[in-house]
């Protein structure tokens, strides 16, 4: 299959034309090295998931860390019930591992 442009879902370098994702957040390595929390916030379809998947793969490949990418999106319907949101997120995570 030839590479193509992608605007629907995470990009894969072998399938899609793309720039290196980690260039978009150069300061994140310092945050990870200092065990700091960070948030990636941006509009739809700008590469948040692709970038975080690339970061997780790089961190795991280096062998010092094991990175997980967990979506909180399944908790969104429970905005007034944090306990239910937590159970939805954890249930989704368990189902995929």
């Amino acid at each position: 299959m030839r590479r193509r442009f992608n605007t629907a879902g995470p990009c894969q370098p072998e399938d899609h034309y793309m720039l290196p994702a980690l260039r978009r957040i150069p300061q994140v390595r310092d945050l990870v090295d200092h065990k700091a929390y960070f948030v990636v916030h941006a509009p739809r379809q700008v590469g948040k998931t692709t970038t975080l998947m690339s970061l997780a793969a790089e961190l795991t490949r280096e062998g010092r860390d094991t990175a997980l990418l967990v979506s909180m999106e399944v908790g969104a319907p429970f905005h007034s019930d944090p306990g239910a949101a937590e159970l939805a997120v954890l249930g989704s995570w368990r189902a995929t591992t």
Side-chain angles (χ1 to χ4, degrees):
M1 177 169 83
R2 293 184 348 184
R3 287 195 308 166
R4 60 185 170 79
F5 289 100
N6 178 36
T7 59
C11 292
Q12 301 294 330
E14 62 275 4
D15 296 330
H16 306 115
Y17 293 111
M18 59 183 283
L19 297 171
L22 295 179
R23 283 190 195 169
R24 302 179 65 150
I25 52 172
Q27 67 279 18
V28 79
R29 274 320 291 246
D30 192 47
L31 293 170
V32 170
D33 291 342
H34 286 93
K35 300 178 182 176
Y37 290 94
F38 61 92
V39 175
V40 177
H41 178 73
R44 293 174 41 88
Q45 297 182 320
V46 297
K48 297 179 300 288
T49 300
T50 299
T51 300
L52 289 173
M53 288 173 68
S54 295
L55 175 63
E58 181 177 304
L59 292 171
T60 301
R61 187 173 37 254
E62 289 173 358
R64 194 178 63 176
D65 300 296
T66 299
L68 301 171
L69 184 60
V70 179
S71 174
M72 301 295 139
E73 199 169 350
V74 295
F78 308 101
H79 57 86
S80 61
D81 186 350
E86 179 183 1
L87 291 174
V89 169
L90 292 174
S92 173
W93 185 20
R94 285 185 191 108
T96 60
T97 58

